[in-house]
Amino acid sequence: MSDAVGRRTIKVLIADDQPLVRRGLALILTPDPAFEVVGEAGDGAQAVDLAHRLRPDVVVMDIRMPVLDGVAATGRLARELPGCRVLALSTFDMDEYVVAALRAGAYGFLPKDISPEELVAAVRVVHTGEAAVAPRLLTRLISTYVRTPHRPEPPVAHTGELTPRELEVWRLMATGLDNTGIAGAMDISLSTVKNHITNVFGKLGVRDRAQAVIAAYETGLVEVGGGRNSVP
């Protein structure tokens, strides 16, 4: 099926344990010919099962659900259906479970009090493979719930392979700057920033901006508090 300009419709699966929420989200998306709501799930296990059967492009996933929560369901989808992109939903915009969902493979998250326009825009962004999280909100969220751990294995594999420029781009990304802000801070072009970010993702073994920012906190590249690499 295609929309008015000939592009394939974005197939969306909605997962939430509250029927009214599911219906409300569906009613926001269905009037737009760019979207096709292919199914609704009441828990994470059902969401994974339906995703395997219906092969949606995007799953709008509530974080806290019975049977299998949204974090575990997101992890399974990331492993089993990597082409299916998860947009996490949370009742609160500051929720430690959201960080867990981003770490598990969600492409973005939204609080449930968003506007219909914001939902539509976020589903479109996630479908393109970009992270649908405002950089400042992402940094504030992660800095609240992620701390440098004492872990037997490093959270990312190849931090030592980053060039000084790539390391600086990664650090600025983790402090909440978007690509334009990074370009201004480093006095380089936007296309150069994008190239550096692609290299950072590849060398760290992360998929997107959200996972790169999480890794920056987990490795101690940035910390909450004082100092050059800190985030206020």
Side-chain angles (χ1 to χ4, degrees):
M1 187 180 296
S2 301
D3 65 17
V5 294
R7 293 172 297 184
R8 190 173 67 84
T9 23
I10 301 170
K11 298 196 297 182
V12 181
L13 172 66
I14 297 171
D16 194 290
D17 61 337
Q18 298 181 46
L20 284 178
V21 173
R22 295 199 302 271
R23 282 284 77 209
L25 294 172
L27 288 172
I28 290 171
L29 294 173
T30 49
D32 191 323
F35 303 110
E36 179 188 3
V37 176
V38 295
E40 299 178 16
D43 59 62
Q46 188 179 22
V48 173
D49 178 62
L50 285 176
H52 275 278
R53 290 197 280 120
L54 302 174
R55 299 301 172 110
D57 301 300
V58 177
V59 178
V60 179
M61 180 89 73
D62 184 26
I63 293 296
R64 305 191 185 200
M65 290 188 292
V67 185
L68 186 71
D69 66 31
V71 174
T74 296
R76 283 192 55 186
L77 289 177
R79 293 189 302 271
E80 298 168 12
L81 294 173
C84 176
R85 291 161 180 161
V86 174
L87 175 62
L89 289 182
S90 173
T91 304
F92 306 103
D93 64 358
M94 294 294 286
D95 187 338
E96 62 185 312
Y97 289 94
V98 173
V99 173
L102 292 170
R103 187 185 281 113
Y107 274 77
F109 95 94
L110 294 173
K112 285 188 176 180
D113 61 356
I114 49 142
S115 68
E117 294 78 15
E118 288 172 316
L119 174 66
V120 167
V123 173
R124 289 181 184 274
V125 168
V126 165
H127 180 247
T128 68
E130 297 294 325
V133 189
R136 271 291 167 190
L137 182 56
L138 173 66
T139 302
R140 187 163 57 92
L141 175 74
I142 292 172
S143 68
T144 301
Y145 293 110
V146 177
R147 295 292 182 266
T148 305
H150 300 288
R151 298 166 67 174
E153 297 293 334
V156 291
H158 304 296
T159 58
E161 295 182 4
L162 296 175
T163 67
R165 282 289 210 180
E166 291 165 354
L167 193 65
E168 182 66 4
V169 166
W170 185 26
R171 186 187 71 80
L172 291 172
M173 190 191 316
T175 63
L177 294 185
D178 59 15
N179 290 1
T180 302
I182 294 170
M186 297 182 66
D187 195 23
I188 57 179
S189 70
L190 198 57
S191 62
T192 300
V193 171
K194 291 178 181 177
N195 288 337
H196 283 320
I197 288 175
T198 298
N199 291 339
V200 168
F201 289 176
K203 290 179 180 180
L204 296 180
V206 300
R207 193 204 55 216
D208 58 27
R209 199 180 202 95
Q211 292 187 345
V213 174
I214 290 172
Y217 281 90
E218 290 184 326
T219 58
L221 177 69
V222 290
E223 298 176 355
V224 182
R228 175 177 175 273
N229 292 339
S230 65
V231 176

